[in-house]
Amino acid sequence: MTTQAIHVQGLEKSYKELRVLRGVDFGVARGSIFALLGSNGAGKTTVVRILSTLLKSDAGTATVDGFDVATQPADVRESISLTGQFAAVDEILTGRENLVLVARLRRVEGPGQVADDLLARFQLTDAAGRRVSTYSGGMRRRLDIAMSLIGNPPVIFLDEPTTGLDPQVRVEVWNGVKELAGQGTTVLLTTQHLDEAEHLADRIAILHQGRIIANGTLDELKRLLPPAKVEYVEKQPTLEDVFLAIIGNDDTGADDPTTAQTAKEQR
Amino acid sequence: MTMRFFGDTALLTGRTMRHITRSLDTILTVAIMPIALMLLFVYVFGGAIRTGSHHYVNYLLPGILLITIGMGISYTSLRLLTDMQSGIFERFQSMPIARSSVLWAHVLTSVVSNLISLALVVLVALLMGFRSGAGASAWLAIAGILVVFTLALTWLAVIAGLTAKTPDGAGAFAYPIIFLPFISSAFVPTHTMPAPVRAFANNQPVTSIVNTIRDLFAQQPVHTEIWTALAWSLGILIVAYALAMATYHRRVA
């Protein structure tokens, strides 16, 4: 059990009459990326909120980094970082001020240096001194994720990290997540995009009607279906392939403040 | 943990205070309505109001100060609601910090920003001819009463901020509080009112607070009303704090 960064057993949660979780079990190995896949309202966010000590479960146990979420919440909070569905950033502060604030609250050495390093890593150096309210959706999300990395918590929860992002930024976020796991961070991410789970996750669990109905590697999940028939189909590029090919990958474009309006509308 | 609480509260108060200093219009909006009321009552209605005091602005100021606080705390609930809706509240709650410092930062910011608005209103009153011979201890007593009253209303604002669904709802709870001074001794002496209204006016919190501040400004001996004023303020403070904390614990695990 100690080899697992996250261990969940028999987790139940109801909101009044609505039984959102009906006994959820899963484990996440250290340093791996685990995707919780499910449609809207499947209970993914509820699981993340319980694991990040924002919500109490009705029944069952959950441990994060060896600490029980119900009895040792303060230790759990030392070990985790949460990036919620909506970029939880302070609009009135600048990007740098947001990072410095979180670094100070986490009692990290040299908060200014930590902030500058993260700004550079997430290509936000140029926007560092601007108020976050002028940022585009992609920039906000990058800042949001950067804030979650401060203090190098061993476990990171990403709740639908790419919702509302354009395909390029999505790829950037994916690369960032892979890099994290490469450094030994355990990542639990929720998503409703199948391709996201396919691209990123070492293991995928499908949450449906309050239970985990499948849990395995991509190959294991594929084997649940009857063996593939060999058919010859012309390989058409997906729209995403076309989009990424014609706009080129050299310029992220997301730093352009003129895109802020559209990104805001997406939110 | 206690050190952590004070450190975190200071950091987070620094954050919310930046919200105030970066949108000074908030402080101006808070101060403008009371100042407009003060101008209206002194220069339009004041001539027809018999208060027994030569300078109506001297009579009026204490009530205007309470209206200023009523305006100010609606922004406290608004700031808290914005934090709840943007997700930053949950980010802080999931971090290794003293959790209640998030609420206390909003409360302290509310007190400081209200004091700034109050100073602005007093300044305008001075320009309009408000004069008081009150000494330092009387001014301190007035400041103390206003701070306790602000704290009491701030914790009410916290309840609104934690439970409201929309910004309009978060601000609307303050309307009755802003309206309360009109049915008190703030604008006219209560003995001119019909009996039922007078009974209400004499026994609601604003009248005792207004009268106490007025006596302190006028260097009159304060009556036992100061105890009524403090009892109301502290009573509201304790009940609102308990309710706000209960609401808060229902919202976060």
Side-chain angles (χ1 to χ4, degrees):
Chain A
M1 204 186 111
T2 44
T3 57
Q4 286 194 323
I6 303 171
H7 184 80
V8 175
Q9 200 159 29
L11 212 56
E12 289 178 29
K13 180 72 191 176
S14 304
Y15 295 107
K16 294 195 180 113
E17 296 300 298
L18 186 66
R19 292 181 66 199
V20 181
L21 304 181
R22 304 162 178 239
V24 171
D25 310 282
F26 65 87
V28 180
R30 276 183 199 283
S32 69
I33 303 178
F34 186 88
L36 204 52
L37 196 62
S39 36
N40 276 333
K44 305 184 297 283
T45 300
T46 304
V47 172
V48 170
R49 284 171 53 89
I50 290 171
L51 291 177
S52 48
T53 76
L54 292 172
L55 195 68
K56 282 196 168 70
S57 64
D58 298 336
T61 57
T63 59
V64 177
D65 203 25
F67 301 111
D68 188 291
V69 292
T71 58
Q72 301 162 291
D75 295 306
V76 171
R77 292 197 281 271
E78 290 281 357
S79 306
I80 62 159
S81 203
L82 166 69
T83 300
Q85 271 180 45
F86 307 101
V89 292
D90 188 312
E91 303 250 320
I92 294 163
L93 300 187
T94 67
R96 190 171 188 276
E97 284 170 340
N98 267 288
L99 292 164
V100 169
L101 174 66
V102 171
R104 289 223 169 104
L105 285 171
R106 277 200 172 257
R107 304 288 189 274
V108 173
E109 295 278 317
Q113 191 56 48
V114 170
D116 289 333
D117 291 346
L118 282 166
L119 287 164
R121 183 165 151 200
F122 285 85
Q123 293 140 46
L124 289 166
T125 305
D126 292 340
R130 287 213 325 257
R131 285 194 200 184
V132 173
S133 52
T134 66
Y135 282 22
S136 70
M139 293 162 78
R140 278 160 205 257
R141 182 49 94 180
R142 296 208 300 267
L143 178 64
D144 191 26
I145 293 174
M147 283 161 79
S148 294
L149 303 189
I150 294 171
N152 300 315
V155 178
I156 288 188
F157 300 119
L158 298 171
D159 194 8
E160 306 204 357
T162 59
T163 302
L165 295 187
D166 64 54
Q168 282 175 293
V169 183
R170 224 151 71 105
V171 173
E172 279 173 37
V173 170
W174 287 352
N175 291 339
V177 172
K178 280 181 195 157
E179 198 187 321
L180 274 179
Q183 295 163 1
T185 306
T186 309
V187 180
L188 182 135
L189 76 102
T190 74
T191 183
Q192 44 181 320
H193 301 297
L194 311 185
D195 58 331
E196 186 158 284
E198 202 169 335
H199 265 93
L200 280 179
D202 299 311
R203 283 186 83 84
I204 300 163
I206 299 173
L207 184 62
H208 185 66
Q209 293 181 343
R211 285 195 184 86
I212 302 282
I213 53 166
N215 183 349
T217 62
L218 184 59
D219 287 335
E220 286 168 359
L221 293 183
K222 279 181 177 164
R223 260 179 262 138
L224 293 174
L225 296 179
K229 271 191 303 188
V230 178
E231 274 181 39
Y232 292 96
V233 182
E234 195 180 290
K235 170 82 170 83
Q236 292 277 359
T238 63
L239 183 57
E240 184 171 334
D241 294 333
V242 175
F243 179 82
L244 290 176
I246 57 177
I247 61 169
N249 275 327
D250 48 347
D251 176 20
T252 62
D255 285 313
D256 184 355
T258 56
T259 60
Q261 199 56 45
T262 37
K264 232 180 191 174
E265 279 161 19
Q266 281 175 2
R267 271 158 49 86
Chain B
M1 204 60 204
T2 335
M3 279 315 291
R4 176 130 229 180
F5 169 77
F6 287 115
D8 293 341
T9 305
L11 280 169
L12 291 168
T13 307
R15 164 185 171 256
T16 25
M17 278 312 294
R18 273 192 191 147
H19 288 206
I20 308 262
T21 52
R22 281 182 194 175
S23 54
L24 278 174
D25 51 315
T26 317
I27 285 182
L28 290 178
T29 322
V30 167
I32 270 173
M33 212 274 275
I35 288 171
L37 274 175
M38 192 157 62
L39 290 168
L40 187 71
F41 271 84
V42 169
Y43 295 123
V44 181
F45 304 135
I49 297 174
R50 296 280 164 265
T51 60
S53 153
H54 291 301
H55 294 287
Y56 184 57
V57 66
N58 285 5
Y59 183 88
L60 188 65
L61 184 63
I64 294 291
L65 293 178
L66 298 194
I67 291 181
T68 310
I69 297 173
M71 291 287 295
I73 49 136
S74 64
Y75 283 91
T76 305
S77 7
L78 203 58
R79 282 191 293 269
L80 187 54
L81 177 75
T82 311
D83 274 8
M84 300 283 294
Q85 290 187 333
S86 75
I88 203 156
F89 192 85
E90 293 208 328
R91 156 160 264 148
F92 291 141
Q93 297 296 318
S94 71
M95 281 173 57
I97 62 171
R99 277 178 149 189
S100 59
S101 61
V102 182
L103 275 193
W104 277 102
H106 277 282
V107 169
L108 288 180
T109 304
S110 173
V111 172
V112 173
S113 69
N114 271 299
L115 285 176
I116 299 173
S117 300
L118 287 170
L120 215 60
V121 172
V122 171
L123 209 67
V124 174
L126 283 170
L127 291 175
M128 291 169 64
F130 169 78
R131 291 296 177 266
S132 164
S137 58
W139 276 99
L140 268 180
I142 292 165
I145 292 169
L146 291 174
V147 166
V148 174
F149 190 63
T150 306
L151 269 177
L153 294 191
T154 294
W155 282 105
L156 281 180
V158 168
I159 302 173
L162 287 172
T163 50
K165 299 278 180 279
T166 62
D168 293 335
F173 93 100
Y175 294 153
I177 295 172
I178 296 167
F179 197 68
L180 218 47
F182 287 95
I183 316 169
S184 79
S185 64
F187 293 93
V188 294
T190 54
H191 64 76
T192 59
M193 302 172 185
V197 183
R198 184 169 66 229
F200 174 79
N202 281 338
N203 293 296
Q204 59 122 319
V206 169
T207 297
S208 59
I209 298 170
V210 161
N211 290 349
T212 304
I213 296 177
R214 195 177 281 145
D215 286 342
L216 285 166
F217 272 142
Q219 295 160 280
Q220 301 283 324
V222 282
H223 303 280
T224 50
E225 264 192 310
I226 191 170
W227 303 115
T228 319
L230 284 175
W232 270 115
S233 298
L234 288 173
I236 298 171
L237 175 59
I238 291 164
V239 172
Y241 175 79
L243 285 176
M245 277 309 187
T247 314
Y248 168 75
H249 286 299
R250 237 181 303 127
R251 290 303 296 260
V252 296

